[in-house]
Amino acid sequence: MASLTNINPSSTDLVRRKKRFSVSSTASSRSSAASASTGDGESHARWRSEKQQRIYSAKLIQALQQVRLNSPSATSSSPTAQKRGKAVREAADRALAVSARGRTLWSRAILANRIKLKFRKHKRQRASTTAIPAMTTVVSSSSSSRSRKRRVSVLRLNKKSLPAVNRKVRVLGRLVPGCGKQSVPVILEEATDYIQALEMQVRAMNSLVELLSSYSTSGSAPPPI
Amino acid sequence: MSNRRSRQSSSAPRISDDQMIDLVTKLRQILPEIGQRRRSAKISASKVLQETCNYIRNLNREVDNLSERLSQLLESVDEDSPEAAVIRSLLM
Protein backbone atom coordinates (compact mmCIF):
# COMPACT_ATOMS: atom_id res chain seq x y z
CA MET A 1 0.00 0.00 0.00
CA ALA A 2 2.76 2.38 0.91
CA SER A 3 4.63 1.74 -2.33
CA LEU A 4 1.57 2.64 -4.40
CA THR A 5 1.10 6.00 -2.73
CA ASN A 6 4.76 6.90 -3.09
CA ILE A 7 4.74 7.06 -6.86
CA ASN A 8 5.45 10.73 -7.46
CA PRO A 9 6.87 12.68 -10.36
CA SER A 10 10.47 13.43 -9.61
CA SER A 11 10.05 17.20 -9.56
CA THR A 12 7.52 17.24 -6.76
CA ASP A 13 9.59 14.63 -4.97
CA LEU A 14 12.52 17.05 -5.01
CA VAL A 15 10.35 19.79 -3.63
CA ARG A 16 8.92 17.55 -0.93
CA ARG A 17 12.31 16.41 0.19
CA LYS A 18 13.57 19.94 0.34
CA LYS A 19 10.58 21.23 2.21
CA ARG A 20 10.58 18.31 4.62
CA PHE A 21 14.18 19.08 5.40
CA SER A 22 13.51 22.71 6.12
CA VAL A 23 10.25 22.10 7.96
CA SER A 24 11.17 19.11 10.10
CA SER A 25 14.23 20.69 11.61
CA THR A 26 12.09 23.38 13.17
CA ALA A 27 8.93 21.35 13.56
CA SER A 28 10.52 18.44 15.40
CA SER A 29 11.95 20.63 18.10
CA ARG A 30 8.67 22.44 18.54
CA SER A 31 6.29 19.53 18.15
CA SER A 32 7.82 17.68 21.09
CA ALA A 33 7.04 20.67 23.24
CA ALA A 34 3.71 21.35 21.63
CA SER A 35 2.43 17.81 21.99
CA ALA A 36 2.15 18.34 25.72
CA SER A 37 -0.52 21.01 25.28
CA THR A 38 -3.88 19.50 24.57
CA GLY A 39 -6.07 22.60 24.75
CA ASP A 40 -5.34 24.31 21.50
CA GLY A 41 -3.91 21.34 19.69
CA GLU A 42 -6.10 22.36 16.81
CA SER A 43 -4.31 25.59 16.03
CA HIS A 44 -0.95 23.99 16.79
CA ALA A 45 -1.58 21.23 14.30
CA ARG A 46 -3.02 23.54 11.72
CA TRP A 47 -0.18 26.00 11.37
CA ARG A 48 2.62 23.58 11.94
CA SER A 49 1.61 20.86 9.50
CA GLU A 50 3.64 20.44 6.38
CA LYS A 51 0.45 20.30 4.33
CA GLN A 52 -0.58 23.75 5.50
CA GLN A 53 2.80 25.14 4.62
CA ARG A 54 2.60 23.66 1.16
CA ILE A 55 -0.86 25.12 0.64
CA TYR A 56 0.33 28.50 1.80
CA SER A 57 3.46 28.39 -0.36
CA ALA A 58 1.40 27.67 -3.45
CA LYS A 59 -0.93 30.57 -2.69
CA LEU A 60 2.02 32.81 -1.96
CA ILE A 61 3.63 32.03 -5.30
CA GLN A 62 0.42 32.79 -7.15
CA ALA A 63 0.12 36.09 -5.33
CA LEU A 64 3.76 36.95 -6.01
CA GLN A 65 3.37 36.25 -9.69
CA GLN A 66 0.53 38.73 -9.75
CA VAL A 67 2.70 41.28 -8.00
CA ARG A 68 5.33 40.80 -10.68
CA LEU A 69 2.76 41.25 -13.39
CA ASN A 70 1.44 44.46 -11.86
CA SER A 71 4.69 46.23 -11.02
CA PRO A 72 6.30 46.67 -14.44
CA SER A 73 3.13 48.18 -15.87
CA ALA A 74 2.59 50.59 -12.95
CA THR A 75 5.79 52.61 -12.99
CA SER A 76 8.68 52.54 -15.38
CA SER A 77 11.84 51.64 -13.56
CA SER A 78 11.80 52.72 -9.96
CA PRO A 79 9.14 51.78 -7.58
CA THR A 80 11.42 52.06 -4.61
CA ALA A 81 12.69 48.90 -2.99
CA GLN A 82 10.48 49.73 -0.03
CA LYS A 83 7.35 49.86 -2.12
CA ARG A 84 8.16 46.59 -3.81
CA GLY A 85 8.87 45.01 -0.45
CA LYS A 86 5.59 46.31 0.91
CA ALA A 87 3.71 44.93 -2.07
CA VAL A 88 5.25 41.53 -1.42
CA ARG A 89 4.41 41.77 2.28
CA GLU A 90 0.81 42.64 1.53
CA ALA A 91 0.51 39.76 -0.92
CA ALA A 92 2.03 37.39 1.62
CA ASP A 93 -0.35 38.59 4.33
CA ARG A 94 -3.33 38.21 2.07
CA ALA A 95 -2.31 34.66 1.17
CA LEU A 96 -1.86 33.93 4.87
CA ALA A 97 -5.28 35.35 5.70
CA VAL A 98 -6.89 33.25 2.99
CA SER A 99 -5.19 30.14 4.35
CA ALA A 100 -6.87 30.79 7.67
CA ARG A 101 -10.19 30.05 5.99
CA GLY A 102 -12.08 32.84 7.68
CA ARG A 103 -12.03 31.30 11.13
CA THR A 104 -10.11 34.05 12.87
CA LEU A 105 -10.66 37.75 13.40
CA TRP A 106 -7.21 38.79 12.30
CA SER A 107 -7.47 37.01 8.96
CA ARG A 108 -10.83 38.58 8.22
CA ALA A 109 -9.45 41.97 9.22
CA ILE A 110 -6.52 41.64 6.82
CA LEU A 111 -8.80 40.77 3.94
CA ALA A 112 -11.27 43.52 4.78
CA ASN A 113 -8.58 46.15 5.20
CA ARG A 114 -7.69 46.16 1.53
CA ILE A 115 -11.03 47.63 0.66
CA LYS A 116 -11.34 49.90 3.68
CA LEU A 117 -7.97 51.57 3.25
CA LYS A 118 -8.88 53.05 -0.10
CA PHE A 119 -11.89 54.88 1.32
CA ARG A 120 -10.36 55.74 4.66
CA LYS A 121 -7.44 57.56 3.10
CA HIS A 122 -9.80 60.11 1.57
CA LYS A 123 -11.95 60.43 4.65
CA ARG A 124 -8.99 60.97 6.97
CA GLN A 125 -7.47 63.66 4.79
CA ARG A 126 -10.69 65.65 4.87
CA ALA A 127 -11.60 65.12 8.51
CA SER A 128 -8.16 65.73 9.94
CA THR A 129 -7.74 69.22 8.52
CA THR A 130 -11.00 70.52 9.95
CA ALA A 131 -11.37 68.64 13.20
CA ILE A 132 -7.86 68.68 14.62
CA PRO A 133 -8.24 71.45 17.23
CA ALA A 134 -11.49 70.00 18.55
CA MET A 135 -10.25 66.42 18.54
CA THR A 136 -7.14 67.04 20.61
CA THR A 137 -9.00 68.53 23.54
CA VAL A 138 -11.66 65.85 23.45
CA VAL A 139 -9.12 63.04 23.35
CA SER A 140 -7.07 64.34 26.26
CA SER A 141 -10.06 64.79 28.53
CA SER A 142 -11.54 61.41 27.68
CA SER A 143 -8.24 59.63 28.23
CA SER A 144 -7.79 61.23 31.65
CA SER A 145 -11.33 60.36 32.64
CA ARG A 146 -10.75 56.84 31.37
CA SER A 147 -7.69 56.39 33.54
CA ARG A 148 -9.53 57.81 36.52
CA LYS A 149 -12.37 55.38 36.01
CA ARG A 150 -9.94 52.48 35.71
CA ARG A 151 -8.23 53.28 38.98
CA VAL A 152 -11.53 53.48 40.79
CA SER A 153 -12.78 50.18 39.38
CA VAL A 154 -9.63 48.22 40.26
CA LEU A 155 -11.25 47.32 43.59
CA ARG A 156 -12.72 44.33 41.79
CA LEU A 157 -10.76 41.18 42.57
CA ASN A 158 -10.77 40.23 38.95
CA LYS A 159 -7.26 39.93 37.54
CA LYS A 160 -8.33 41.31 34.24
CA SER A 161 -8.97 44.71 35.77
CA LEU A 162 -5.40 45.16 37.00
CA PRO A 163 -4.11 48.19 35.13
CA ALA A 164 -0.73 46.72 34.16
CA VAL A 165 -2.09 43.54 32.62
CA ASN A 166 -5.01 45.34 31.09
CA ARG A 167 -2.77 47.91 29.46
CA LYS A 168 -0.55 45.23 27.99
CA VAL A 169 -3.52 43.34 26.63
CA ARG A 170 -4.64 46.53 24.91
CA VAL A 171 -1.19 46.95 23.39
CA LEU A 172 -1.31 43.36 22.23
CA GLY A 173 -4.72 43.95 20.75
CA ARG A 174 -3.36 46.77 18.66
CA LEU A 175 -0.57 44.55 17.33
CA VAL A 176 -2.92 41.85 16.11
CA PRO A 177 -4.91 43.06 13.11
CA GLY A 178 -8.58 43.59 13.77
CA CYS A 179 -8.41 43.19 17.54
CA GLY A 180 -8.09 46.78 18.68
CA LYS A 181 -11.38 46.91 20.52
CA GLN A 182 -11.95 43.30 21.48
CA SER A 183 -12.38 41.77 24.88
CA VAL A 184 -9.41 40.26 26.68
CA PRO A 185 -10.03 36.56 26.01
CA VAL A 186 -10.63 37.26 22.33
CA ILE A 187 -7.37 39.17 22.05
CA LEU A 188 -5.41 36.39 23.73
CA GLU A 189 -6.90 33.70 21.52
CA GLU A 190 -6.37 35.69 18.35
CA ALA A 191 -2.80 36.43 19.37
CA THR A 192 -2.12 32.73 19.86
CA ASP A 193 -3.33 31.87 16.39
CA TYR A 194 -1.72 34.93 14.82
CA ILE A 195 1.72 34.10 16.21
CA GLN A 196 1.61 30.57 14.86
CA ALA A 197 0.45 31.77 11.47
CA LEU A 198 3.26 34.32 11.38
CA GLU A 199 5.80 31.63 12.25
CA MET A 200 4.55 29.53 9.36
CA GLN A 201 4.74 32.55 7.09
CA VAL A 202 8.37 33.05 8.09
CA ARG A 203 9.20 29.42 7.44
CA ALA A 204 7.52 29.42 4.04
CA MET A 205 9.11 32.68 2.92
CA ASN A 206 12.50 31.51 4.15
CA SER A 207 12.38 28.34 2.09
CA LEU A 208 11.17 30.32 -0.91
CA VAL A 209 14.02 32.79 -0.58
CA GLU A 210 16.49 29.93 -0.31
CA LEU A 211 15.09 28.31 -3.41
CA LEU A 212 15.13 31.48 -5.46
CA SER A 213 18.58 32.56 -4.33
CA SER A 214 20.06 29.16 -5.11
CA TYR A 215 18.66 29.48 -8.60
CA SER A 216 19.93 32.98 -9.20
CA THR A 217 23.47 32.04 -8.16
CA SER A 218 23.92 28.61 -9.68
CA GLY A 219 22.10 29.17 -12.95
CA SER A 220 19.41 26.86 -14.18
CA ALA A 221 20.66 23.58 -12.70
CA PRO A 222 18.75 22.44 -9.63
CA PRO A 223 20.93 22.21 -6.52
CA PRO A 224 21.98 18.69 -5.52
CA ILE A 225 20.26 17.39 -2.40
CA MET B 1 -20.48 58.23 23.92
CA SER B 2 -19.55 55.52 21.49
CA ASN B 3 -16.25 55.12 23.32
CA ARG B 4 -18.04 54.45 26.57
CA ARG B 5 -20.29 51.95 24.92
CA SER B 6 -17.47 50.00 23.39
CA ARG B 7 -15.58 50.02 26.63
CA GLN B 8 -18.51 48.66 28.53
CA SER B 9 -19.18 45.89 26.07
CA SER B 10 -15.57 44.74 26.12
CA SER B 11 -15.32 44.66 29.91
CA ALA B 12 -18.82 43.41 30.71
CA PRO B 13 -18.23 39.63 30.35
CA ARG B 14 -16.08 39.15 33.43
CA ILE B 15 -13.42 36.66 32.55
CA SER B 16 -12.71 34.14 35.29
CA ASP B 17 -9.28 33.81 36.78
CA ASP B 18 -9.00 30.25 35.58
CA GLN B 19 -9.83 31.21 32.04
CA MET B 20 -7.28 33.99 32.16
CA ILE B 21 -4.59 31.69 33.52
CA ASP B 22 -5.44 29.10 30.90
CA LEU B 23 -5.12 31.57 28.02
CA VAL B 24 -1.90 33.06 29.33
CA THR B 25 -0.44 29.58 29.77
CA LYS B 26 -1.24 28.69 26.19
CA LEU B 27 0.37 31.89 25.05
CA ARG B 28 3.42 31.21 27.15
CA GLN B 29 3.92 27.78 25.58
CA ILE B 30 4.11 29.35 22.16
CA LEU B 31 6.73 31.89 23.11
CA PRO B 32 10.18 30.67 22.18
CA GLU B 33 12.23 31.36 25.28
CA ILE B 34 9.99 31.42 28.29
CA GLY B 35 7.64 28.63 27.37
CA GLN B 36 10.16 25.91 26.86
CA ARG B 37 13.01 26.27 29.26
CA ARG B 38 11.61 26.07 32.77
CA ARG B 39 7.98 25.16 32.57
CA SER B 40 7.51 24.97 36.30
CA ALA B 41 8.93 28.38 37.01
CA LYS B 42 6.12 30.78 37.68
CA ILE B 43 5.94 33.79 35.49
CA SER B 44 3.70 36.78 35.75
CA ALA B 45 1.01 37.36 33.18
CA SER B 46 2.38 40.82 32.63
CA LYS B 47 5.73 39.42 31.55
CA VAL B 48 4.13 36.88 29.25
CA LEU B 49 2.15 39.65 27.58
CA GLN B 50 5.25 41.78 27.25
CA GLU B 51 7.14 38.91 25.63
CA THR B 52 4.19 38.24 23.35
CA CYS B 53 4.18 41.82 22.11
CA ASN B 54 7.93 41.72 21.54
CA TYR B 55 7.69 38.42 19.74
CA ILE B 56 4.95 39.61 17.41
CA ARG B 57 6.96 42.73 16.61
CA ASN B 58 10.01 40.58 15.88
CA LEU B 59 8.04 38.26 13.64
CA ASN B 60 6.59 41.21 11.75
CA ARG B 61 10.04 42.64 11.25
CA GLU B 62 11.30 39.29 10.00
CA VAL B 63 8.45 39.02 7.51
CA ASP B 64 9.20 42.55 6.30
CA ASN B 65 12.85 41.70 5.75
CA LEU B 66 11.95 38.51 3.94
CA SER B 67 9.50 40.42 1.78
CA GLU B 68 12.22 42.82 0.75
CA ARG B 69 14.61 40.01 -0.11
CA LEU B 70 11.89 38.23 -2.03
CA SER B 71 11.08 41.35 -4.01
CA GLN B 72 14.75 41.76 -4.92
CA LEU B 73 15.05 38.11 -5.93
CA LEU B 74 11.89 38.31 -8.01
CA GLU B 75 13.30 41.27 -9.88
CA SER B 76 16.47 39.38 -10.69
CA VAL B 77 14.74 36.19 -11.74
CA ASP B 78 12.32 37.98 -13.96
CA GLU B 79 14.77 38.25 -16.83
CA ASP B 80 15.23 34.63 -17.88
CA SER B 81 11.91 33.09 -18.72
CA PRO B 82 13.15 29.45 -18.77
CA GLU B 83 14.29 29.88 -15.16
CA ALA B 84 10.93 31.25 -14.13
CA ALA B 85 9.18 28.36 -15.86
CA VAL B 86 11.42 25.84 -14.11
CA ILE B 87 10.80 27.47 -10.75
CA ARG B 88 7.08 27.51 -11.32
CA SER B 89 6.98 23.85 -12.28
CA LEU B 90 9.08 22.85 -9.30
CA LEU B 91 7.03 24.80 -6.82
CA MET B 92 3.58 23.80 -7.99
Side-chain angles (χ1 to χ4, degrees), chain A residues 162-179:
Chain A
L162 281 179
V165 170
N166 215 357
R167 228 186 307 132
K168 300 215 165 150
V169 171
R170 295 293 146 203
V171 169
L172 185 58
R174 268 181 275 139
L175 279 176
V176 179
C179 296

Side-chain angles (χ1 to χ4, degrees), chain A residues 32-95:
Chain A
S32 53
S35 58
S37 71
T38 49
D40 64 337
E42 185 196 314
S43 73
H44 268 290
R46 208 193 317 151
W47 290 115
R48 297 215 166 131
S49 68
E50 190 187 324
K51 175 185 167 190
Q52 178 64 266
Q53 186 162 334
R54 244 183 284 148
I55 294 175
Y56 173 65
S57 301
K59 290 202 175 119
L60 177 61
I61 290 161
Q62 283 178 7
L64 290 178
Q65 284 173 348
Q66 280 192 351
V67 168
R68 262 203 294 177
L69 284 176
N70 287 336
S71 61
S73 62
T75 51
S76 55
S77 60
S78 58
T80 58
Q82 247 195 2
K83 275 188 195 171
R84 265 183 268 130
K86 273 187 190 166
V88 171
R89 169 82 207 252
E90 280 168 20
D93 283 346
R94 252 181 285 133

Side-chain angles (χ1 to χ4, degrees), chain A residues 11-12 14-15 19 30 32-33 36-37 39-40 44 48 58 60-62 64-65 68 71 81 84-85 88-89 93 146 149 156-160 165 168-172 175-176 181-185 188-189 191-192 194-196 198-199 201-202 205-206 208-209 211-213 215-216 219-220, chain B residues 3-4 6-7 9-17 19-24 26-27 29-32 35-36 39 45-47 49-50 52-57 59-79 82-84 86-92:
Chain A
S11 58
T12 56
L14 250 179
V15 172
K19 285 203 171 155
R30 292 274 180 92
S32 53
S37 71
D40 64 337
H44 268 290
R48 297 215 166 131
L60 177 61
I61 290 161
Q62 283 178 7
L64 290 178
Q65 284 173 348
R68 262 203 294 177
S71 61
R84 265 183 268 130
V88 171
R89 169 82 207 252
D93 283 346
R146 226 184 275 162
K149 276 191 180 173
R156 266 187 269 147
L157 293 177
N158 200 341
K159 273 187 190 169
K160 177 188 79 105
V165 170
K168 300 215 165 150
V169 171
R170 295 293 146 203
V171 169
L172 185 58
L175 279 176
V176 179
K181 292 181 183 175
Q182 298 295 326
S183 64
V184 171
L188 292 181
E189 273 200 57
T192 318
Y194 186 53
I195 286 180
Q196 289 175 305
L198 276 182
E199 286 173 348
Q201 190 179 30
V202 166
M205 290 175 81
N206 252 327
L208 191 56
V209 163
L211 197 60
L212 283 180
S213 58
Y215 266 100
S216 64
S220 55
Chain B
N3 282 336
R4 270 187 222 153
S6 65
R7 238 187 305 131
S9 66
S10 64
S11 59
R14 293 187 189 188
I15 176 174
S16 69
D17 281 1
Q19 199 183 354
M20 181 76 171
I21 292 175
D22 195 38
L23 286 169
V24 172
K26 278 186 207 168
L27 205 47
Q29 284 168 348
I30 293 174
L31 296 178
Q36 294 170 11
R39 272 198 210 147
S46 160
K47 182 142 192 212
L49 289 174
Q50 184 64 49
T52 308
C53 294
N54 293 338
Y55 190 46
I56 290 186
R57 286 193 199 111
L59 283 175
N60 273 324
R61 216 185 314 144
E62 231 183 302
V63 173
D64 282 331
N65 290 338
L66 283 173
S67 309
E68 267 199 58
R69 277 177 72 189
L70 257 185
S71 69
Q72 288 168 5
L73 283 171
L74 284 176
E75 294 290 312
S76 64
V77 168
D78 213 344
E79 301 155 6
E83 274 191 14
V86 167
I87 289 175
R88 234 175 283 139
S89 66
L90 268 185
L91 291 166
M92 282 312 181

Side-chain angles (χ1 to χ4, degrees), chain A residues 110-204:
Chain A
I110 288 180
L111 292 175
N113 257 348
R114 277 185 70 208
I115 309 170
K116 280 186 191 173
L117 267 178
K118 288 186 187 173
F119 298 114
R120 273 195 188 163
K121 265 186 191 172
H122 296 291
K123 273 193 186 174
R124 270 190 195 159
Q125 280 169 5
R126 278 188 218 160
S128 61
T129 50
T130 56
I132 279 185
M135 281 291 286
T136 48
T137 52
V138 167
V139 166
S140 61
S141 66
S142 69
S143 67
S144 63
S145 67
R146 226 184 275 162
S147 60
R148 267 181 224 153
K149 276 191 180 173
R150 269 192 198 153
R151 276 180 219 149
V152 166
S153 64
V154 161
L155 293 176
R156 266 187 269 147
L157 293 177
N158 200 341
K159 273 187 190 169
K160 177 188 79 105
S161 62
L162 281 179
V165 170
N166 215 357
R167 228 186 307 132
K168 300 215 165 150
V169 171
R170 295 293 146 203
V171 169
L172 185 58
R174 268 181 275 139
L175 279 176
V176 179
C179 296
K181 292 181 183 175
Q182 298 295 326
S183 64
V184 171
V186 170
I187 291 181
L188 292 181
E189 273 200 57
E190 290 286 319
T192 318
D193 196 67
Y194 186 53
I195 286 180
Q196 289 175 305
L198 276 182
E199 286 173 348
M200 188 210 72
Q201 190 179 30
V202 166
R203 284 197 300 269

